[in-house]
Amino acid sequence: MTADIIIFNGKLITFDPDAPQAQALAIADGRIIAVGDDAMVKGLGDVQTRMIDAKGGTVLPGFIDSHVHLFGGSVELSQLSLYGVQGLDGMRQAIVPYAAANPDDTLVFCVMADYDILGTGHTLTRHDLDTILPDRPLAMFAPDHHTVWANTAALKAAGLLQGGVVDAGSQIVMGDDGLASGELLEPGAYSPVLALTRHAGREMMGLTTGKDPVPAPTPAQREMDKDVIAAGLKHCAAQGITGLHLMDGNTYQLELLSELEAEGRLLCRCEVPFHMKGTDPVARMSREAPEMRARYQGDKLRCNHVKMFIDGVIESGTALMLRPYPGDLGKDGNTGDEVFTQDHFVACAVEADRLGFQIAVHAIGDAAVRRTIDAYAAAQQANGARDSRHRIEHLEVMHTDDIPRLAELGIVASIQPGHAPRGHIFPPSGVGQYLHDDQIAGAYAWQDIRNTGARVIFSTDWPVIQIDVMDTIKAAIAPLDLGPKWRDQTQSLTDTLASYTRDNAWVEFNEDRKGKLKAGMMADVTILSHDVTTLAPAQITDASAQVTICDGKVTYSAR
């Protein structure tokens, strides 16, 4: 067979134990047809073969980001980021010109506003934001997307100034004056604000409700939504990414992605979940999830997992903890917000497992992680053990007694190294102030988890952080030293690359089809600018994607 594409002069990391290293590979009809040395592989080409010189750079299976919010991340590429901005003056300098440049926006919406943007212990209020834009709706997302802050005009426009009834686990924080303070915790509180944005919150509905937009988007809105997702997919491909595991889902988003595939614009393979909310009856999953799965089982677009949230996040005091938070976050005995009652959560986990779905649960606090482990154990007891590869997303704080239970039950640890205070992205002093000293031993315990034999996979949770692969790799292999309270959890380069490629293919049950550079495997390949094995860990971000190939087609080229 003649090759469509030949990559040569590379430093291949194949993850094939029979041939772990090579110089070159050949691709034809969307598959890898040969891996070996330059002379052997070049012999498979002819005048029509595209020859790509890797120039000594690392060549490896395409990166798979196993936890993203594609629609939301795509939309945020064009929104004002407040990452690194501090203080009201800094916010004003960024927001006022952006608002002037976007006069038609109903709501001026910003992203990546740090919880401590006004300094430690100072929470944004509507009154603070009113000093920036007093007469125009203004709101902003926290990086983790669990909190929105809104000014008075935005709260009025959303119908929230007087408060209101919200889902369990969500809160409209009220001020001493009896009106909303401007802080909106979790989707049940902030969804009315998102409805005022350019895409009317459609980009977040797979997360906030798991249901489709009502009323149905117009043809023009559908095209607008597809175009923004297509731009997001180009951005992902430019990072060397060939696969994405979405952690929000609805039929609308699947339809958009399916149309993009038909149009030749689906540049990354996408796994999309059925999203189960804590307020949904089990019967909704039983009725709707199998139908969604049956409709979408392609090589590039598939539904195979159920996503649930069991808690919130540490910084807002909504992550579920085994005992009250220290300091002000622990006021009135606060241990976090219960998104599901435990009985209902267990019932949902048992049913999803019975239906043959993989389950992925957002669990950040030590109580949330324990509850999730208990639910997976209950599913095994009810339905029998199987190769389920159920996942826990984030598991940022674990009780040390629970760490060995992951491997014992075959639970996958889905980790985002860039979220940790040692990850170079968020303030290193941030999370520690919200934990008791004895909780730190089980916080962001990457290597401790790996040492038990549990499977570990890496991702970004884009747009919580940027989807840039090399930034996450740096967070894993060159983390900051946070002092003696924090155990060293540094990851090896080999483990990190495996957790971003081979193991992310394994967790989606595709280990026999991709995640390795081996003849017969899907031709999902990334070429980097450097031989990353020669770079010092702190300099790993000197490397970048040069060529990305998905399904045998070049989806990005910097050359």
Side-chain angles (χ1 to χ4, degrees):
M1 180 180 291
T2 302
D4 299 326
I5 297 172
I6 287 176
I7 299 168
F8 65 96
N9 188 26
K11 300 288 187 181
L12 273 63
I13 299 175
T14 68
F15 294 109
D16 176 3
D18 296 328
Q21 297 176 332
Q23 279 185 302
L25 63 80
I27 294 168
D29 296 332
R31 299 278 172 172
I32 297 171
I33 60 170
V35 177
D37 60 35
D38 283 350
M40 183 273 283
V41 173
K42 282 184 175 181
L44 298 173
D46 64 13
V47 294
Q48 294 183 318
T49 299
R50 179 169 180 173
M51 305 294 291
I52 301 177
D53 184 354
K55 299 181 179 179
T58 295
V59 181
L60 73 170
F63 290 113
I64 301 171
D65 194 317
S66 54
H67 187 129
V68 300
H69 301 278
L70 172 61
F71 197 174
S74 300
V75 167
E76 290 192 16
L77 291 175
S78 63
Q79 292 175 327
L80 177 64
S81 173
L82 297 178
Y83 181 75
V85 173
Q86 285 291 314
L88 281 175
D89 287 343
M91 294 170 68
R92 189 175 294 109
Q93 291 171 18
I95 293 170
V96 170
Y98 175 79
N102 294 276
D104 296 330
D105 284 356
T106 301
L107 171 74
V108 178
F109 195 71
C110 311
V111 297
M112 295 298 289
D114 193 82
Y115 279 95
D116 292 331
I117 199 166
L118 296 185
T120 302
H122 297 275
T123 300
L124 272 173
T125 68
R126 63 184 173 92
H127 304 295
D128 295 320
L129 300 183
D130 288 346
T131 68
I132 299 173
L133 287 184
D135 302 316
R136 189 173 171 189
L138 167 67
M140 55 197 62
F141 249 144
D144 55 33
H145 296 72
H146 288 261
T147 300
V148 164
W149 296 279
N151 71 352
T152 301
L155 292 167
K156 285 181 179 178
L160 299 175
L161 186 60
Q162 308 296 327
V165 178
V166 298
D167 294 342
S170 298
Q171 182 184 0
I172 302 170
V173 178
M174 304 302 290
D176 293 337
D177 59 0
L179 300 176
S181 72
E183 186 177 28
L184 307 170
L185 306 179
E186 302 299 333
Y190 63 61
S191 289
V193 172
L194 296 187
L196 304 173
T197 62
R198 293 172 190 167
H199 291 259
R202 293 188 300 276
E203 75 277 16
M204 294 292 290
M205 289 196 71
L207 179 74
T208 58
T209 70
K211 300 179 177 66
D212 293 337
V214 177
T218 66
Q221 288 172 328
R222 288 181 75 97
E223 291 303 312
M224 175 186 181
D225 293 347
K226 281 198 300 184
D227 286 345
V228 78
I229 293 172
L233 288 164
K234 287 183 179 179
H235 180 67
C236 293
Q239 317 308 318
I241 293 170
T242 59
L244 300 167
H245 299 178
L246 279 61
M247 286 296 151
D248 60 284
N250 54 14
T251 299
Y252 178 63
Q253 189 168 190
L254 279 160
E255 289 174 350
L256 297 181
L257 293 170
S258 183
E259 291 172 21
L260 287 171
E261 181 179 11
E263 295 165 7
R265 294 197 287 166
L266 189 65
L267 301 186
C268 304
R269 303 182 195 275
C270 293
E271 302 265 335
V272 181
F274 178 86
H275 193 107
M276 186 70 180
K277 299 285 291 181
T279 52
D280 291 335
V282 175
R284 177 182 173 245
M285 184 199 308
S286 306
R287 180 178 65 252
E288 298 178 17
E291 179 183 351
M292 181 183 285
R293 176 175 58 187
R295 286 179 61 187
Y296 297 97
Q297 284 295 312
D299 283 342
K300 294 196 73 175
L301 180 61
R302 188 171 71 147
C303 172
N304 201 46
H305 63 288
V306 169
K307 171 71 187 300
M308 293 185 278
F309 280 80
I310 195 170
D311 70 343
V313 293
I314 296 168
E315 291 85 348
S316 64
T318 55
L320 274 176
M321 299 295 185
L322 293 169
R323 65 184 190 277
Y325 286 84
D328 291 342
L329 276 188
K331 184 180 178 182
D332 299 324
N334 175 46
T335 58
D337 289 344
E338 185 179 68
V339 179
F340 278 81
T341 64
Q342 185 62 5
D343 286 348
H344 184 46
F345 179 64
V346 169
C348 290
V350 169
E351 177 64 358
D353 182 74
R354 185 189 70 81
L355 293 169
F357 280 93
Q358 182 184 51
I359 308 171
V361 174
H362 165 115
I364 284 183
D366 51 14
V369 175
R370 180 170 288 179
R371 288 186 181 199
T372 305
I373 295 172
D374 290 346
Y376 289 165
Q380 281 194 15
Q381 184 173 7
N383 302 321
R386 65 181 179 90
D387 184 15
S388 60
R389 306 183 194 183
H390 295 327
R391 307 164 43 156
I392 301 181
E393 311 300 310
H394 313 305
L395 22 66
E396 292 183 359
V397 183
M398 296 184 68
H399 192 288
T400 53
D401 288 350
D402 290 325
I403 292 176
R405 299 179 67 199
L406 300 176
E408 291 166 5
L409 290 168
I411 298 169
V412 181
S414 175
I415 290 171
Q416 300 71 41
H419 290 200
R422 61 170 74 94
H424 304 274
I425 296 172
F426 295 126
S429 61
V431 170
Q433 64 185 308
Y434 306 124
L435 300 177
H436 298 280
D437 283 352
D438 61 337
Q439 287 180 295
I440 291 175
Y444 308 94
W446 313 328
Q447 192 59 39
D448 291 343
I449 292 170
R450 199 184 287 278
N451 287 342
T452 68
R455 299 298 286 261
V456 174
I457 58 175
F458 285 162
S459 58
T460 60
D461 197 7
W462 181 55
V464 171
I465 61 173
Q466 63 270 29
I467 201 164
D468 303 35
V469 170
M470 304 315 294
D471 288 346
T472 290
I473 291 176
K474 180 179 178 178
I477 70 173
L480 295 170
D481 182 354
L482 299 181
K485 291 181 182 178
W486 295 81
R487 287 171 51 80
D488 180 17
Q489 303 289 344
T490 302
Q491 301 290 282
S492 73
L493 178 62
T494 298
D495 282 346
T496 298
L497 294 176
S499 289
Y500 232 137
T501 57
R502 180 196 67 196
D503 298 338
N504 276 339
W506 171 86
V507 82
E508 62 178 65
F509 298 89
N510 265 325
E511 67 269 27
D512 294 329
R513 306 177 74 207
K514 60 179 180 173
K516 301 182 185 74
L517 302 182
K518 181 179 180 181
M521 304 293 276
M522 291 177 173
D524 294 356
V525 183
T526 297
I527 304 173
L528 300 179
S529 59
H530 293 63
D531 176 357
V532 294
T533 66
T534 68
L535 292 173
Q539 272 65 59
I540 198 72
T541 50
D542 289 351
S544 61
Q546 296 298 290
V547 178
T548 308
I549 298 169
C550 180
D551 200 28
K553 300 177 180 64
V554 175
T555 54
Y556 170 77
S557 178
R559 299 171 178 171

